Amino acid sequence: MNDSEKHVTVVKPRNTWDILTIRDLWEYRDMLLYLVLRDIKARYTQSVLGIGWAVLQPLFLMIVFTVIFGKLVKINTNGMDYAVFSYTALVPWAYFSNSLMLTTGSLIQNSNLLSKVFFPRLVLPMSTVLSTLVDFFIAFILVIVLMIWYQVSPTIWVLFLPVLLMLMVVLSVSLGSLFAALAIQYRDVRHGIAFLVQGMMYASPVVYPVSIIPDKYRLIYGLNPMAGVIEGFRSALLGSTPMPWDLIIVGTIVTLVLAVIGLTYFKFTERIFADVM
Amino acid sequence: MSNYAIKVENISKRYRIGVQQKASDTFGGAVFSTLSKPLRTFNQIRRLSSFDDNSDQAADIIWALRNISFELKSGEKLGIIGKNGAGKSTLLKVLSKITEPSHGRALIKGKVSSLLEIGTGFHRDLTGRENVYLNGTILGMSRGDIKNKFDEIVEFAGVEQFIDTPIKRYSSGMQVRLAFSVAAHVQPDILIVDEVLAVGDIEFQRKCMGKLDEQATEGKTVIFVSHNMGAIRRLCSEVILLNGGEISLKGDPDTAINEYLRNSETTNAFSSDAIDQYFENDPSKAIQIKRIRLLNEIGQPSYSFNNKFPVDLEMEIEVREKRQDAYLGCVMYTSDDSILGDSQTNDLEQKFEWRKPGSYVVKLRLPADVYNAGIYRLGAYAALSSDATDRRDISFQVINGQPFGQSVGGSRKGALLLPLKWEFKDS
């Protein structure tokens, strides 16, 4: 290669807000792939149930919720059996909560990489979010089994599920990278995130339908992007409620705002990761 | 346009180190300090990343690098030496984009690969094969690159049989070999290497050095940090000596290494690494070593010697009592501390007994053409057969300048070159 064709890298203190360097990320796509594989494999090797744990977590919650909220509290589910009603919501919820918690710790867990090798730091939270997706798909198989068991037929909107899935992934990456960047400097964030996730579950239509929210608070409720996603899953798969377009639109806007904030903060602080951890 | 590969302009790097809080000595103060601890901790953590302009002089700031500037042409090999804490690793981290300089900038032309550690990202549960791919991509190779070099990598590491076994079942030596092998097969324009060669057994270390030599001869630009002066001398065309975050000398390897060794001698007078050691008078000893040093072919004290020339051990011996049983000796050790031999003045006609009190300069010549490349240690002693001995150690390094010390498979084994005579007869 001729000298003048070579790419010149400038290493200098950054005072300006750099725009996301997609080119870097693309160059390291193979690393992203192998980090995802590593995460998946490391999570389930030498475990008897292995990937079965991905199903067990939402399944266990489904059983608990069915007993408490289905049988004892008797929440109105528009005639849907509570087991399938809650499991359909628990699968996207479990994905979101797990990926958010794992992503928040992703930089801390890989601090040896941060201090020894250069690579676009965003690869780390992204790989975590993507590897958790495998759990999602495994857990989703049981949704199909339950639907057959309870003889529920999906609506045409199942075709819309990939969009909801994408919304969920983007939300996880945005919030996850924001919290990961905070957590590498302030470890408190990692502890605090457990509370946040717990609180968010009750702010999402997991154990109850959106219909119990009074109409005037509905859009405020929709500020939690997971509200639209979860109710959208239910609507598409069970047809028990119409597609909650208003929630999805509000949720998408909020997600995009969070994406800008999260990725900008991440990008802005990544240069000091190695110094502050 | 100048044909630089790396141009470093006035790079400085500051770190904030935590300053110990003063413990309070009153009960009220203790309560207050406990309650306000979260706030103080928050400020402390926040300050790790915020430096306002007038904080440059603050007590808890240290400058790991100060105004470092140099330029490296394409294909040049730069060695960086210096004491621990001199800023070597920080400089490599800045050039590798792991951490950002506080001031200044560096221009880097081409693809950089930095090996600050080997096996970064290795995971115990993954197989050798998976780890090669994971580690390779982390070091910036593409999947295609790794696929092409896969067999070569595995063969170099010598783990063909176990490549599909999780590496937690590997011996630590096998893990290290695999890790180095991946690192050695990255093909950048610029290679930044931190002391990663001190791994594995001697055999493998030699293989590693060979691989690095290969990269160097291929015309790659190399920046190499090491405490192994032999490796620096052999690989590098230019050496920077760092001291307290600043460049204290930039020049050819010999000048820089000698300067470094002279420096470490003044701060570390009793280490056997110092090249010219003086010792305090000790009147309780009837015979004492006052000074010990090793001289090269032009009579200069040195640490590193070319085996084309002899090495002179020079001692100043103080005799305080005229004794019949006085003698001098010297044990020679190889780098793994096994004894190579022991020489004594008793072996000679001219013994060291019945010397009048006074100072004597004694020379012991280690012949040329005998010692193989490596690190050696001499334990010189002045002794009385009835009494405790006065013993001083000094280390040195031999580098190979012999055409016959080289062989097809890298350098020759063992401590001695054995320049023996072979005879052939055609039958």
Side-chain angles (χ1 to χ4, degrees):
Chain A
M1 193 169 13
N2 192 310
D3 235 26
S4 52
E5 291 166 27
K6 283 179 192 164
H7 177 64
V8 176
T9 315
V10 182
V11 180
K12 63 171 181 7
R14 256 181 293 182
N15 295 315
T16 48
W17 292 54
D18 276 6
I19 304 163
L20 274 177
T21 39
I22 303 294
R23 204 182 69 110
D24 269 5
L25 217 50
W26 180 245
E27 260 176 35
Y28 278 82
R29 62 193 181 279
D30 288 337
M31 176 183 175
L32 181 63
L33 173 73
Y34 284 102
L35 278 178
V36 171
L37 290 179
R38 177 189 78 168
D39 280 0
I40 296 167
K41 199 153 175 201
R43 209 176 309 151
Y44 296 114
T45 36
Q46 222 166 21
S47 128
V48 178
L49 290 178
I51 206 129
W53 285 106
V55 181
L56 271 179
Q57 192 204 2
L59 185 66
F60 174 77
L61 283 176
M62 178 196 88
I63 293 168
V64 172
F65 290 167
T66 305
V67 171
I68 297 173
F69 299 106
K71 300 283 179 244
L72 301 177
V73 182
K74 290 198 175 58
I75 280 179
N76 178 13
T77 59
N78 296 343
M80 227 2 96
D81 195 280
Y82 195 85
V84 66
F85 170 85
S86 61
Y87 190 77
T88 317
L90 276 166
V91 170
W93 174 255
Y95 168 76
F96 174 73
S97 63
N98 285 339
S99 74
L100 189 60
M101 283 200 280
L102 290 172
T103 310
T104 302
S106 63
L107 293 177
I108 299 169
Q109 292 243 297
N110 290 293
S111 50
N112 67 317
L113 283 186
L114 294 180
S115 62
K116 295 292 182 192
V117 200
F118 165 79
F119 57 91
R121 286 4 187 161
L122 204 53
V123 169
L124 288 176
M126 280 181 73
S127 72
T128 313
V129 166
L130 293 179
S131 68
T132 324
L133 215 46
V134 175
D135 289 8
F136 170 82
F137 287 117
I138 305 286
F140 195 80
I141 294 171
L142 192 63
V143 172
I144 299 167
V145 173
L146 283 174
M147 282 171 65
I148 296 170
W149 181 264
Y150 288 101
Q151 296 183 342
V152 186
S153 45
T155 68
I156 183 72
W157 290 113
V158 284
L159 298 176
F160 187 63
L161 282 186
V163 176
L164 291 178
L165 187 62
M166 190 124 92
L167 189 59
M168 199 164 74
V169 171
V170 173
L171 180 66
S172 300
V173 172
S174 317
L175 274 182
S177 46
L178 174 68
F179 291 142
L182 282 166
I184 190 112
Q185 191 165 9
Y186 308 100
R187 297 294 144 88
D188 309 62
V189 174
R190 214 179 171 188
H191 302 291
I193 210 74
F195 292 103
L196 181 80
V197 165
Q198 215 161 33
M200 263 184 89
M201 188 183 90
Y202 291 101
S204 308
V206 178
V207 298
Y208 56 84
V210 175
S211 55
I212 69 165
I213 304 291
D215 274 352
K216 55 178 174 176
Y217 296 126
R218 197 175 152 95
L219 287 184
I220 296 174
Y221 184 74
L223 289 177
N224 167 10
M226 283 309 285
V229 170
I230 290 172
E231 193 66 5
F233 263 76
R234 250 185 211 139
S235 165
L237 291 165
L238 310 179
S240 55
T241 48
M243 206 43 143
W245 293 114
D246 49 346
L247 298 182
I248 292 173
I249 290 168
V250 174
T252 307
I253 295 168
V254 172
T255 302
L256 292 178
V257 171
L258 286 174
V260 172
I261 296 173
L263 297 182
T264 313
Y265 183 77
F266 189 90
K267 208 59 202 166
F268 193 61
T269 49
E270 71 173 354
R271 66 208 168 91
I272 52 153
F273 286 166
D275 297 347
V276 297
M277 59 190 190
Chain B
M1 196 180 91
S2 72
N3 62 337
Y4 68 89
I6 296 181
K7 194 193 267 176
V8 176
E9 295 168 347
N10 276 315
I11 280 195
S12 298
K13 173 78 185 172
R14 94 200 116 182
Y15 280 109
R16 202 185 282 274
I17 47 169
V19 170
Q20 190 66 42
Q21 298 288 332
K22 224 177 89 189
S24 92
D25 44 9
T26 65
F27 179 71
V31 170
F32 176 76
S33 105
T34 310
L35 292 178
S36 64
K37 179 123 196 306
L39 192 67
R40 273 182 292 123
T41 314
F42 172 73
N43 272 322
Q44 223 174 352
I45 301 176
R46 191 179 52 79
R47 276 158 53 91
L48 286 175
S49 61
S50 68
F51 300 90
D52 33 53
D53 283 332
N54 56 14
S55 71
D56 277 10
Q57 304 303 322
D60 58 346
I61 289 201
I62 54 156
W63 288 87
L65 294 175
R66 242 189 237 272
N67 297 323
I68 303 289
S69 298
F70 61 87
E71 196 176 310
L72 204 55
K73 289 197 180 59
S74 181
E76 274 187 323
K77 285 76 174 127
L78 177 74
I80 300 177
I81 57 177
K83 277 175 271 190
N84 288 333
K88 305 185 296 286
S89 298
T90 307
L91 180 56
L92 291 198
K93 279 187 181 181
V94 168
L95 293 178
S96 317
K97 292 197 284 180
I98 289 164
T99 183
E100 221 182 53
S102 310
H103 303 298
R105 62 172 198 164
L107 303 173
I108 300 169
K109 216 185 270 175
K111 191 177 172 226
V112 183
S113 165
S114 42
L115 309 176
L116 304 193
E117 183 187 73
I118 57 169
T120 316
F122 262 36
H123 198 286
R124 293 165 37 79
D125 285 323
L126 301 188
T127 65
R129 181 186 304 274
E130 290 162 333
N131 271 309
V132 166
Y133 276 95
L134 175 64
N135 188 230
T137 52
I138 287 175
L139 293 175
M141 288 161 106
S142 75
R143 215 162 11 135
D145 287 347
I146 303 170
K147 210 170 172 181
N148 290 335
K149 287 185 194 146
F150 189 80
D151 292 337
E152 216 180 302
I153 292 175
V154 175
E155 201 203 313
F156 185 82
V159 295
E160 294 94 331
Q161 260 181 291
F162 311 100
I163 195 62
D164 288 311
T165 311
I167 61 160
K168 62 183 168 188
R169 313 256 180 259
Y170 283 28
S171 72
S172 53
M174 282 161 69
Q175 290 187 21
V176 164
R177 291 207 303 272
L178 187 63
F180 182 87
S181 185
V182 179
H185 286 83
V186 182
Q187 292 285 327
D189 302 310
I190 298 169
L191 185 66
I192 297 180
V193 190
D194 200 351
E195 201 93 76
V196 287
L197 296 166
V199 296
D201 50 27
I202 304 265
E203 183 69 18
F204 190 70
Q205 276 189 29
R206 192 161 300 138
K207 226 167 144 186
C208 298
M209 281 308 291
K211 195 77 198 170
L212 209 67
D213 280 342
E214 204 179 286
Q215 301 244 359
T217 48
E218 275 168 13
K220 279 199 179 66
T221 312
V222 178
I223 297 187
F224 181 47
V225 162
S226 183
H227 288 287
N228 181 344
M229 296 304 144
I232 291 272
R233 200 185 290 265
R234 199 146 54 82
L235 279 176
C236 304
S237 48
E238 194 154 30
V239 174
I240 281 179
L241 172 60
L242 282 184
N243 195 2
E246 286 170 289
I247 295 183
S248 79
L249 193 138
K250 181 173 187 262
D252 62 280
D254 285 303
T255 320
I257 289 172
N258 284 337
E259 174 66 23
Y260 168 62
L261 292 170
R262 217 184 335 273
N263 262 336
S264 60
E265 170 207 345
T266 50
T267 52
N268 198 8
F270 297 102
S271 145
S272 63
D273 281 343
I275 55 172
D276 192 351
Q277 307 172 37
Y278 290 92
F279 306 102
E280 303 240 330
N281 265 323
D282 183 353
S284 70
K285 285 176 179 155
I287 178 167
Q288 192 203 349
I289 299 175
K290 288 289 300 295
R291 180 186 194 185
I292 180 170
R293 55 185 187 157
L294 292 165
L295 303 176
N296 64 12
E297 69 276 8
I298 52 169
Q300 278 180 340
S302 177
Y303 172 77
S304 217
F305 298 90
N306 190 322
N307 58 7
K308 272 193 287 195
F309 306 105
V311 177
D312 285 328
L313 169 73
E314 194 186 79
M315 289 190 283
E316 234 176 85
I317 306 287
E318 182 81 18
V319 177
R320 296 198 182 83
E321 282 173 41
K322 192 169 171 182
R323 295 277 292 249
Q324 182 264 329
D325 55 349
Y327 67 101
L328 305 175
C330 180
V331 197
M332 187 163 181
Y333 298 86
T334 58
S335 58
D336 55 0
D337 267 351
S338 51
I339 295 181
L340 194 60
D342 187 357
S343 170
Q344 292 186 356
T345 47
N346 293 344
D347 304 343
L348 301 169
E349 291 287 301
Q350 188 198 11
K351 298 194 189 332
F352 199 70
E353 54 198 46
W354 296 122
R355 298 276 159 184
K356 279 194 291 248
S359 248
Y360 297 84
V361 174
V362 177
K363 259 192 191 169
L364 178 66
R365 172 158 287 199
L366 308 177
D369 302 343
V370 168
Y371 301 100
N372 199 359
I375 307 272
Y376 297 89
R377 184 161 56 89
L378 294 177
Y381 53 92
L384 303 169
S385 59
S386 60
D387 214 336
T389 56
D390 186 33
R391 161 156 176 175
R392 299 295 176 183
D393 285 22
I394 187 162
S395 295
F396 66 103
Q397 181 178 42
V398 171
I399 53 175
N400 205 346
Q402 295 295 348
F404 57 83
Q406 312 290 339
S407 58
V408 185
S411 40
R412 209 71 64 79
K413 288 186 177 61
L416 302 179
L417 286 177
L418 297 185
L420 307 177
K421 191 142 179 99
W422 291 74
E423 279 181 33
F424 302 96
K425 261 186 206 127
D426 291 332
S427 60

